[in-house]
Amino acid sequence: MVSSPHEAMHRIFQEYPGLFSRVSEVLGVDIPPPTSATALPTDLTEARPVERRVDTLLRIETEHDGPFLLAIEAQGKKDPRKTASWPYYVSYLHNRYGLPVLLLVVCQDHTTAEWAARPISIGVRQWQTLALNPLVAGPHNMPVITDVAEARKDLALATLAAITHADNPDVGAILKTLSAALRDTPEAIADPIVELTAQGLGNRPAAQQWRNLVAVDLSFYKSPLSEEIRDEGRAEGRAEGLLLVLEARGIALADETREKITSCDDPQLLRQWLNRAATATTIEDVFTGE
């Protein structure tokens, strides 16, 4: 099953095709900036073989060096099958479009990034028939951006950097910088940034830090995702408040009752419980009518 970080790590290039030219600079590869970019079908299936799909595929136009194809793969862990599928992708795309092909692999941990960066060689011991050298972006080479002015200069790169550093001990500072950079950003620009960052962090502890930042630092910002985040924050706050009220009134809680309260994600229901707790003498009074 495809995870949300997997989707964010390649979908960000669909939202911001020009991001690759900045990433290539970070990776030390001289790729000219694009003049335009077109998303192409990601289905690489032939008539009879097994279905194969690349995560994101872009046709990049440049001013002086001509067009090339950029195939982007989001990789969450080592996968030995990729040593066969990645060369297939590149060969198939080169044959289908007749254009140079670059493969970019985006990772969130050092072990996977190190594995993905290894050249893939096809041939015999005496002669290498085909060699593939993926470009790899991950926590080992993406910048740690904790300066608000730097983040504002390139929000797309700052977002990718935050996603790739999801497990960094300083991720809180990284996310705080990104949220601060978004404060004066038009909603149409901030919308995909907020969504991709939340998606890219997945279920890591940093995801909750980002949700808290969106709920507080970006309280002005309105979108389905931000409202969902704020609803979750309100639910969590009401659950904590309810527990404090019950404790103050001397009402003992069984473990299963405490779990019922802390796991509830319905702000309205929690509000009802909180109102009842103000006058309740037993825990049954709080859950009256259920």
Side-chain angles (χ1 to χ4, degrees), residues 183-244:
R183 283 178 189 160
D184 300 321
T185 303
E187 187 173 317
I189 296 174
D191 188 356
I193 297 291
V194 170
E195 179 185 352
L196 284 165
T197 304
Q199 190 177 30
L201 296 174
N203 58 5
R204 291 171 168 82
Q208 188 57 51
Q209 295 182 54
W210 179 245
R211 289 173 177 269
N212 293 340
L213 286 168
V214 172
V216 178
D217 289 0
L218 303 179
S219 58
F220 64 90
Y221 177 60
K222 304 294 182 183
S223 78
L225 178 62
S226 64
E227 287 305 301
E228 174 189 334
I229 290 172
R230 278 189 277 275
D231 281 346
E232 290 178 3
R234 284 190 283 267
E236 183 178 351
R238 284 174 181 161
E240 292 175 358
L242 174 56
L243 292 174
L244 288 173

Side-chain angles (χ1 to χ4, degrees), residues 100-226:
V101 183
L102 287 177
L103 173 65
L104 174 66
V105 184
V106 185
C107 308
Q108 288 180 295
D109 68 273
H110 292 270
T111 301
T112 303
E114 182 180 1
W115 164 81
R118 294 173 184 170
I120 299 173
S121 176
I122 298 177
V124 295
R125 179 175 58 83
Q126 297 85 349
W127 189 261
Q128 181 176 264
T129 303
L130 176 66
L132 176 65
N133 294 286
L135 286 169
V136 178
H140 64 299
N141 55 16
M142 285 291 98
V144 175
I145 300 177
T146 54
D147 179 79
V148 175
E150 183 182 356
R152 282 197 179 116
K153 287 179 183 177
D154 197 332
L155 288 170
L157 181 62
T159 303
L160 179 66
I163 291 171
T164 55
H165 286 291
D167 294 319
N168 190 309
D170 295 325
V171 68
I174 296 170
L175 295 175
K176 180 70 174 176
T177 299
L178 182 57
S179 70
L182 290 174
R183 283 178 189 160
D184 300 321
T185 303
E187 187 173 317
I189 296 174
D191 188 356
I193 297 291
V194 170
E195 179 185 352
L196 284 165
T197 304
Q199 190 177 30
L201 296 174
N203 58 5
R204 291 171 168 82
Q208 188 57 51
Q209 295 182 54
W210 179 245
R211 289 173 177 269
N212 293 340
L213 286 168
V214 172
V216 178
D217 289 0
L218 303 179
S219 58
F220 64 90
Y221 177 60
K222 304 294 182 183
S223 78
L225 178 62
S226 64

Side-chain angles (χ1 to χ4, degrees), residues 8-22:
M9 284 191 288
H10 70 86
R11 202 164 64 82
I12 188 171
F13 290 90
Q14 296 178 22
E15 293 282 347
Y16 309 101
L19 172 60
F20 178 65
S21 66
R22 277 97 75 191

